[in-house]
Amino acid sequence: MNTAGTADVPARTGLDLTPFRGLRYDPDRVGSLSAVTSPPYDVVVRPDGLHHLESADPYNIVRLILPQATTPDIRNEQAAGTLHRWTAEGVLRTDAEPGLYVYEQRDDEGMFQRGIIGALRLSEPSEGVVLPHEDVMPDVVADRAALMRATSANLEPLLLTYRGDGPSSGTTAVIERTAKHPPLFSTTTEDGFSHRLWAVTDPADLAEVHTDLACRQALIADGHHRWATYLRVRAEHRSPSPWDFGLVLLVDTARHPLRVRAIHRLLHRLPVPDALAALGESFRVRHLDEPLPEALSALSVAAAGGNAFLLAGDGTFHLIDRPSPGLLARTIPADRPEAWRTLDATVLHATLLDHVWRIPDVPEHIAYIHDTAATVAKAERDGGTAVLMQPVREEVVRDLASQGVTMPRKSTSFGPKPASGLVLRTLGL
């Protein structure tokens, strides 16, 4: 196995991906498969995107992954009741035999990705089998865990990456052979992505995948909070049990490189003038009276020379860069690798949020939004400050993860992310 890390990391056994009986929408019972899907729960822009998805189809998966009610307990009970009702009514049906699922995504810009969905045996980060690269927020893990307990289901797959050996054998060969057959379904979602799904049930194919992945290591690309949730809920059940496994999509990035995009911050209670005034002389500030695409290009140029951010929310853009070296020395922990200390996310959280703006990292003060235009629009509408960022290179992410160093929460957005609602996994005994 290709691994990297410290000498005291325990011996690892590799990935253990197992078949399961997928729970899937019956196409004859819903308006369309595209109308019942959703982005992952943490990508849905609320409340606008949530309302849009709820109105798309009465059976949209968002009613399970983001149930709406007055209290968390009622929300989770509602999701559990909805899942039970849809299953009893045949809206969701369990496949007849266990299998893995080949999943394909394409868009009009040339993005093409295939991976394999299965139930992956859970492991702690110290085991070096599945590497996290971001910190998590305990309140989000607690919220997801409560929903998972209530529904006894993995409602959406995490996105994990690994490095394969080419298309001639192993998992990649099984994926390519399977994709030559007619899919279980094909649909195109409103974001322009087409989705196809196949079942892998042949014992020889399943054995080939299992043997190939047993010598591999994975990186969590998207789903750190859900992985932490898997681990928390597993600890509540006596092993062996279905809770020893979690639903994932594994993608070979040697064959299908992922896109890496930034996750932006919306500071609810900090108006742009106050944000700029607090900077003083600690950053260079340039005002950009130009459209968003040009402002983002200016951010990209500035970020090539060091830490840079684009502030928005007052109808224009403000490029801040060249932080004071003395300020960074006082605010950035010195006991981490240089690659971590110079991350934009590190400077944003340790220097700007904690020291300059003194904003606590809680939902009442900060929202994390993947869509750039939506972040700016919400800041302008609500009177807050949008902090737009540049993405981190995948090699930096993987290098830090291999050292056991996690990045600040919500530092990266890998994609394309699997659509939620295409296949679910139930855990009820």
Side-chain angles (χ1 to χ4, degrees):
M1 181 185 355
N2 294 325
T3 61
T6 58
D8 58 351
V9 172
R12 39 189 172 259
T13 57
L15 302 171
D16 180 5
L17 191 71
T18 66
F20 68 104
R21 294 177 63 200
L23 183 67
R24 299 188 293 110
Y25 281 101
D26 182 344
D28 296 331
R29 295 297 308 274
V30 298
S32 70
L33 287 174
S34 63
V36 297
T37 65
S38 164
Y41 81 97
D42 58 336
V43 181
V44 176
V45 178
R46 288 164 266 186
D48 301 356
L50 178 64
H51 294 160
H52 173 71
L53 291 164
E54 287 181 327
S55 61
D57 190 282
Y59 298 116
N60 190 282
I61 192 68
V62 78
R63 287 179 167 80
L64 299 182
I65 63 174
L66 286 175
Q68 299 300 294
T70 53
T71 69
D73 288 345
I74 295 176
R75 288 199 301 267
N76 296 331
E77 291 172 5
Q78 179 177 295
T82 300
L83 178 59
H84 177 77
R85 184 173 68 255
W86 289 357
T87 304
E89 294 174 354
V91 174
L92 289 168
R93 294 182 178 274
T94 304
D95 284 340
E97 57 182 323
L100 302 175
Y101 296 85
V102 170
Y103 176 45
E104 176 188 285
Q105 295 164 277
R106 293 178 183 264
D107 70 5
D108 295 334
E109 300 176 4
M111 170 58 73
F112 165 58
Q113 176 176 288
R114 283 178 182 155
I116 193 158
I117 296 174
L120 183 67
R121 183 178 296 278
L122 305 179
S123 59
E124 297 290 342
S126 60
E127 297 175 57
V129 177
V130 175
L131 301 178
H133 71 267
E134 288 184 353
D135 295 331
V136 297
M137 293 176 268
D139 59 319
V140 176
V141 176
D143 177 74
R144 291 291 102 184
L147 177 63
M148 190 179 298
R149 293 187 199 101
T151 58
S152 291
N154 299 154
L155 299 174
E156 41 186 353
L158 286 63
L159 175 60
L160 274 60
T161 71
Y162 72 100
R163 298 284 186 174
D165 296 328
S168 60
S169 63
T171 305
T172 300
V174 172
I175 289 173
E176 297 305 314
R177 288 199 302 268
T178 302
K180 294 178 181 179
H181 298 285
L184 296 172
F185 66 77
S186 177
T187 190
T188 300
T189 46
E190 63 178 19
D191 59 3
F193 270 95
S194 65
H195 308 261
R196 296 200 294 172
L197 193 78
W198 295 261
V200 180
T201 58
D202 180 80
D205 288 340
L206 296 175
E208 186 170 355
V209 170
H210 190 270
T211 300
D212 176 55
L213 294 178
C215 63
R216 306 207 183 276
Q217 176 189 58
L219 174 75
I220 300 176
D222 185 70
H224 285 80
H225 289 89
R226 283 167 285 169
W227 184 260
T229 298
Y230 287 168
L231 295 176
R232 173 178 292 194
V233 180
R234 177 188 66 168
E236 301 167 357
H237 295 80
R238 179 176 296 178
S239 185
S241 82
W243 300 91
D244 294 339
F245 297 81
L247 185 64
V248 305
L249 165 65
L250 278 166
V251 173
D252 175 5
T253 51
R255 187 165 178 81
H256 299 290
L258 271 62
R259 292 172 176 163
V260 186
R261 292 175 173 164
I263 302 177
H264 309 296
R265 275 64 169 164
L266 174 60
L267 311 180
H268 297 298
R269 302 180 183 179
L270 182 68
V272 172
D274 294 349
L276 294 172
L279 292 175
E281 301 297 322
S282 59
F283 280 76
R284 181 176 70 167
V285 179
R286 287 177 283 169
H287 304 284
L288 307 178
D289 188 15
E290 52 193 28
L292 177 59
E294 284 77 4
L296 290 173
S297 295
L299 172 63
S300 179
V301 171
N307 301 116
F309 309 91
L310 195 64
L311 307 187
D314 61 349
T316 188
F317 298 99
H318 310 271
L319 179 62
I320 67 171
D321 64 353
R322 297 186 182 178
S324 162
L327 176 64
L328 297 182
R330 293 193 307 272
T331 57
I332 303 295
D335 60 346
R336 302 288 186 92
E338 176 72 12
W340 182 90
R341 297 199 304 272
T342 56
L343 288 170
D344 285 342
T346 298
V347 173
L348 173 60
H349 283 260
T351 302
L352 284 169
L353 295 178
D354 292 350
H355 182 82
V356 175
W357 293 328
R358 300 187 183 279
I359 295 176
D361 192 359
V362 294
E364 298 82 53
H365 287 270
I366 303 177
Y368 294 83
I369 304 177
H370 294 71
D371 185 88
T372 308
T375 311
V376 175
K378 286 179 71 64
E380 292 179 346
R381 184 176 63 201
D382 302 340
T385 295
V387 182
L388 308 183
M389 304 174 65
Q390 282 287 101
V392 182
R393 300 191 315 276
E394 182 181 358
E395 55 267 30
V396 173
V397 175
R398 191 174 292 276
D399 178 61
L400 287 172
S402 69
Q403 298 178 59
V405 177
T406 54
M407 300 162 62
R409 59 195 65 172
K410 299 293 182 181
S411 294
T412 60
S413 176
F414 283 90
K417 305 176 190 303
S420 298
L422 299 181
V423 61
L424 291 67
R425 173 177 176 255
T426 56
L427 296 101
L429 299 178

